[in-house]
Amino acid sequence: MKDFFVLAIETSCDETSASIIKNGDTEIGTVVLTQMDIHKQYGGVVPEIASRHHIENITLVLEEVLEKANMTIEEIDAIGVTYGPGLIGSLLIGLQTAKTLALIYNKPLIPVHHIAGHIYANRLVNELKFPLISLVISGGHTDIIYMEKDYKFKKIGGTLDDAVGEAYDKVARVMGLDYPGGPIIDRLSKGGVPSYKLPLPMDDDSYDFSFSGLKSAVINLIHNEKQRGNVINKENLSRSFQEVVINILTKKTMRAVKEYNVKQLILSGGVAANTGIREKFEALCIKNGIELIVPPIKYCTDNAAMIGSAAFYAYKEGITGDSFLNAKSTDKLGG
Ligand code: KG4
Ligand code: ZN
């Protein structure tokens, strides 16, 4: 079979990224331009600022990825792009660029759901074995997805309020830590013990999650300690919070793995970079004889390589877009 090259674009949040992926599983080259340092001073991503920077960066990123891959756009077979979910202004920059390239160079346009991208980040490092369960944990999502075969997604549970990464970032903020707080809490928790009592949120029979109550519990705890004149031990609070997150994520996900009798568990999304979460899943999967796949950190946070992989499999399913394709700030995966 002739090799199939996808040029993929991802601009759903604050990373401007382009990548060239061969046959859905081989990364030829990727460029990620992050705006993290710009948004840090505001304590979170400011949508208007993000889209303005995407406009400035998108052509640079595209030129650089072609140069890196030593390819011309004529050698590309299709253009893949994240159409949603995400920040609408940011998505539109990537989408408009992709539509323009597809039109000018007469290439198929492949719309990719951002979460499908996060899941397919795993395909860049491993074969996927079906059926599988994917736990997608990021700043915008906390989903348990069942996949019976390639590019067939069934969401069996998800957060009813805050995403887990969002909870990490908000808790970090009240603790006076920098944005994004996830990696900082992860690092601090290594030096602490779980001495603060926090509730296990939504500990029920469903596969859904709720993190806003846990976040409020941390905020209340900090206020109460301050009123008593006590100094918060940041390492211990980080550890206490992270333990609760790990417990609820692993409890529900491992139950799904058993109920659906899957061959693999795959983790994805920015929070899958968390060392505590990885370690606990590794131990549980060994114990239960389940193959666990966790992508390297560079594929966990937003990047276009994962979009390029997903686009290949979407195209195999006949999924294409045209010039009427629109960006969507929210959209259900697989429906
Ligand atoms: O997937 P991602 O780059 O963007 C979204 O699609 O949301 O995820 C970003 C999120 C942020 O909330 C960040 O705090 C979190 O991933 N994150 C972490 C870690 N590294 C990144 N959370 C916990 N522990 C980490 N090591
Ligand atoms: Zn993401």
Side-chain angles (χ1 to χ4, degrees), residues 7-24:
L7 170 62
I9 298 173
E10 154 66 40
T11 61
S12 66
C13 192
D14 60 340
E15 266 91 26
T16 319
S17 180
S19 178
I20 296 172
I21 299 294
K22 185 176 86 176
N23 303 334

PDB file of all heavy atoms in Angstrom, residues 7-24:
ATOM      1  N   LEU A   7      -1.219  15.996   6.975  1.00  0.00           N
ATOM      2  CA  LEU A   7      -0.729  17.222   7.625  1.00  0.00           C
ATOM      3  C   LEU A   7      -1.829  17.628   8.595  1.00  0.00           C
ATOM      4  O   LEU A   7      -2.964  17.888   8.181  1.00  0.00           O
ATOM      5  CB  LEU A   7      -0.485  18.332   6.593  1.00  0.00           C
ATOM      6  CG  LEU A   7      -0.209  19.736   7.161  1.00  0.00           C
ATOM      7  CD1 LEU A   7       1.047  19.761   8.016  1.00  0.00           C
ATOM      8  CD2 LEU A   7      -0.076  20.763   6.038  1.00  0.00           C
ATOM      9  N   ALA A   8      -1.524  17.622   9.886  1.00  0.00           N
ATOM     10  CA  ALA A   8      -2.555  17.879  10.896  1.00  0.00           C
ATOM     11  C   ALA A   8      -2.329  19.213  11.602  1.00  0.00           C
ATOM     12  O   ALA A   8      -1.186  19.638  11.801  1.00  0.00           O
ATOM     13  CB  ALA A   8      -2.557  16.751  11.923  1.00  0.00           C
ATOM     14  N   ILE A   9      -3.447  19.837  11.965  1.00  0.00           N
ATOM     15  CA  ILE A   9      -3.402  21.137  12.656  1.00  0.00           C
ATOM     16  C   ILE A   9      -4.241  21.065  13.925  1.00  0.00           C
ATOM     17  O   ILE A   9      -5.368  20.561  13.909  1.00  0.00           O
ATOM     18  CB  ILE A   9      -3.948  22.255  11.727  1.00  0.00           C
ATOM     19  CG1 ILE A   9      -3.080  22.370  10.469  1.00  0.00           C
ATOM     20  CG2 ILE A   9      -4.028  23.598  12.452  1.00  0.00           C
ATOM     21  CD1 ILE A   9      -3.619  23.320   9.415  1.00  0.00           C
ATOM     22  N   GLU A  10      -3.692  21.580  15.023  1.00  0.00           N
ATOM     23  CA  GLU A  10      -4.408  21.600  16.316  1.00  0.00           C
ATOM     24  C   GLU A  10      -4.273  23.001  16.923  1.00  0.00           C
ATOM     25  O   GLU A  10      -3.151  23.463  17.166  1.00  0.00           O
ATOM     26  CB  GLU A  10      -3.816  20.515  17.232  1.00  0.00           C
ATOM     27  CG  GLU A  10      -3.952  20.741  18.727  1.00  0.00           C
ATOM     28  CD  GLU A  10      -5.375  20.710  19.268  1.00  0.00           C
ATOM     29  OE1 GLU A  10      -6.172  19.865  18.837  1.00  0.00           O
ATOM     30  OE2 GLU A  10      -5.675  21.558  20.135  1.00  0.00           O
ATOM     31  N   THR A  11      -5.415  23.652  17.146  1.00  0.00           N
ATOM     32  CA  THR A  11      -5.396  24.990  17.778  1.00  0.00           C
ATOM     33  C   THR A  11      -6.577  25.137  18.748  1.00  0.00           C
ATOM     34  O   THR A  11      -7.131  26.224  18.869  1.00  0.00           O
ATOM     35  CB  THR A  11      -5.505  26.125  16.723  1.00  0.00           C
ATOM     36  OG1 THR A  11      -6.749  25.974  16.031  1.00  0.00           O
ATOM     37  CG2 THR A  11      -4.370  26.149  15.738  1.00  0.00           C
ATOM     38  N   SER A  12      -6.974  24.043  19.426  1.00  0.00           N
ATOM     39  CA  SER A  12      -8.226  24.139  20.195  1.00  0.00           C
ATOM     40  C   SER A  12      -8.110  24.932  21.497  1.00  0.00           C
ATOM     41  O   SER A  12      -9.104  25.392  22.038  1.00  0.00           O
ATOM     42  CB  SER A  12      -8.753  22.745  20.498  1.00  0.00           C
ATOM     43  OG  SER A  12      -7.876  22.081  21.366  1.00  0.00           O
ATOM     44  N   CYS A  13      -6.870  25.090  22.005  1.00  0.00           N
ATOM     45  CA  CYS A  13      -6.727  25.832  23.263  1.00  0.00           C
ATOM     46  C   CYS A  13      -5.573  26.819  23.138  1.00  0.00           C
ATOM     47  O   CYS A  13      -5.670  27.786  22.393  1.00  0.00           O
ATOM     48  CB  CYS A  13      -6.564  24.843  24.413  1.00  0.00           C
ATOM     49  SG  CYS A  13      -6.722  25.608  26.027  1.00  0.00           S
ATOM     50  N   ASP A  14      -4.476  26.583  23.841  1.00  0.00           N
ATOM     51  CA  ASP A  14      -3.383  27.567  23.793  1.00  0.00           C
ATOM     52  C   ASP A  14      -2.101  27.016  23.190  1.00  0.00           C
ATOM     53  O   ASP A  14      -1.029  27.586  23.380  1.00  0.00           O
ATOM     54  CB  ASP A  14      -3.124  28.149  25.191  1.00  0.00           C
ATOM     55  CG  ASP A  14      -2.739  27.096  26.211  1.00  0.00           C
ATOM     56  OD1 ASP A  14      -3.017  25.903  25.973  1.00  0.00           O
ATOM     57  OD2 ASP A  14      -2.169  27.454  27.251  1.00  0.00           O
ATOM     58  N   GLU A  15      -2.208  25.900  22.440  1.00  0.00           N
ATOM     59  CA  GLU A  15      -1.044  25.401  21.708  1.00  0.00           C
ATOM     60  C   GLU A  15      -1.336  25.504  20.217  1.00  0.00           C
ATOM     61  O   GLU A  15      -2.380  25.030  19.760  1.00  0.00           O
ATOM     62  CB  GLU A  15      -0.763  23.921  22.042  1.00  0.00           C
ATOM     63  CG  GLU A  15       0.246  23.727  23.150  1.00  0.00           C
ATOM     64  CD  GLU A  15      -0.387  23.640  24.515  1.00  0.00           C
ATOM     65  OE1 GLU A  15      -1.560  23.240  24.588  1.00  0.00           O
ATOM     66  OE2 GLU A  15       0.274  24.002  25.509  1.00  0.00           O
ATOM     67  N   THR A  16      -0.406  26.129  19.474  1.00  0.00           N
ATOM     68  CA  THR A  16      -0.537  26.142  18.013  1.00  0.00           C
ATOM     69  C   THR A  16       0.369  25.022  17.527  1.00  0.00           C
ATOM     70  O   THR A  16       1.581  25.074  17.744  1.00  0.00           O
ATOM     71  CB  THR A  16      -0.038  27.473  17.412  1.00  0.00           C
ATOM     72  OG1 THR A  16      -0.470  28.551  18.245  1.00  0.00           O
ATOM     73  CG2 THR A  16      -0.547  27.666  16.002  1.00  0.00           C
ATOM     74  N   SER A  17      -0.219  24.015  16.899  1.00  0.00           N
ATOM     75  CA  SER A  17       0.615  22.868  16.531  1.00  0.00           C
ATOM     76  C   SER A  17       0.287  22.331  15.152  1.00  0.00           C
ATOM     77  O   SER A  17      -0.869  22.337  14.716  1.00  0.00           O
ATOM     78  CB  SER A  17       0.438  21.772  17.591  1.00  0.00           C
ATOM     79  OG  SER A  17       1.218  20.644  17.280  1.00  0.00           O
ATOM     80  N   ALA A  18       1.328  21.864  14.462  1.00  0.00           N
ATOM     81  CA  ALA A  18       1.174  21.201  13.165  1.00  0.00           C
ATOM     82  C   ALA A  18       2.055  19.970  13.178  1.00  0.00           C
ATOM     83  O   ALA A  18       3.103  19.943  13.836  1.00  0.00           O
ATOM     84  CB  ALA A  18       1.572  22.135  12.037  1.00  0.00           C
ATOM     85  N   SER A  19       1.612  18.930  12.444  1.00  0.00           N
ATOM     86  CA  SER A  19       2.373  17.687  12.442  1.00  0.00           C
ATOM     87  C   SER A  19       2.158  16.941  11.134  1.00  0.00           C
ATOM     88  O   SER A  19       1.102  17.085  10.508  1.00  0.00           O
ATOM     89  CB  SER A  19       1.903  16.823  13.622  1.00  0.00           C
ATOM     90  OG  SER A  19       2.574  15.589  13.635  1.00  0.00           O
ATOM     91  N   ILE A  20       3.145  16.156  10.747  1.00  0.00           N
ATOM     92  CA  ILE A  20       2.974  15.283   9.579  1.00  0.00           C
ATOM     93  C   ILE A  20       3.090  13.847  10.064  1.00  0.00           C
ATOM     94  O   ILE A  20       4.084  13.468  10.703  1.00  0.00           O
ATOM     95  CB  ILE A  20       4.012  15.604   8.485  1.00  0.00           C
ATOM     96  CG1 ILE A  20       3.765  17.038   7.980  1.00  0.00           C
ATOM     97  CG2 ILE A  20       3.905  14.603   7.332  1.00  0.00           C
ATOM     98  CD1 ILE A  20       4.807  17.565   7.036  1.00  0.00           C
ATOM     99  N   ILE A  21       2.039  13.068   9.815  1.00  0.00           N
ATOM    100  CA  ILE A  21       1.969  11.685  10.303  1.00  0.00           C
ATOM    101  C   ILE A  21       1.798  10.737   9.121  1.00  0.00           C
ATOM    102  O   ILE A  21       0.937  10.956   8.263  1.00  0.00           O
ATOM    103  CB  ILE A  21       0.778  11.513  11.288  1.00  0.00           C
ATOM    104  CG1 ILE A  21       0.940  12.425  12.518  1.00  0.00           C
ATOM    105  CG2 ILE A  21       0.599  10.054  11.714  1.00  0.00           C
ATOM    106  CD1 ILE A  21       2.107  12.106  13.434  1.00  0.00           C
ATOM    107  N   LYS A  22       2.613   9.696   9.104  1.00  0.00           N
ATOM    108  CA  LYS A  22       2.539   8.700   8.025  1.00  0.00           C
ATOM    109  C   LYS A  22       1.723   7.489   8.479  1.00  0.00           C
ATOM    110  O   LYS A  22       1.992   6.927   9.545  1.00  0.00           O
ATOM    111  CB  LYS A  22       3.966   8.270   7.646  1.00  0.00           C
ATOM    112  CG  LYS A  22       4.028   7.324   6.448  1.00  0.00           C
ATOM    113  CD  LYS A  22       5.454   7.007   6.056  1.00  0.00           C
ATOM    114  CE  LYS A  22       5.993   5.847   6.857  1.00  0.00           C
ATOM    115  NZ  LYS A  22       7.333   5.432   6.470  1.00  0.00           N
ATOM    116  N   ASN A  23       0.736   7.122   7.690  1.00  0.00           N
ATOM    117  CA  ASN A  23      -0.068   5.901   7.913  1.00  0.00           C
ATOM    118  C   ASN A  23      -0.676   5.788   9.313  1.00  0.00           C
ATOM    119  O   ASN A  23      -0.876   4.691   9.826  1.00  0.00           O
ATOM    120  CB  ASN A  23       0.763   4.648   7.621  1.00  0.00           C
ATOM    121  CG  ASN A  23       1.307   4.653   6.205  1.00  0.00           C
ATOM    122  OD1 ASN A  23       0.714   5.285   5.326  1.00  0.00           O
ATOM    123  ND2 ASN A  23       2.410   3.994   5.980  1.00  0.00           N
ATOM    124  N   GLY A  24      -0.916   6.914   9.953  1.00  0.00           N
ATOM    125  CA  GLY A  24      -1.606   6.921  11.240  1.00  0.00           C
ATOM    126  C   GLY A  24      -0.767   6.554  12.444  1.00  0.00           C
ATOM    127  O   GLY A  24      -1.223   6.669  13.585  1.00  0.00           O
TER     128      GLY A  24
END
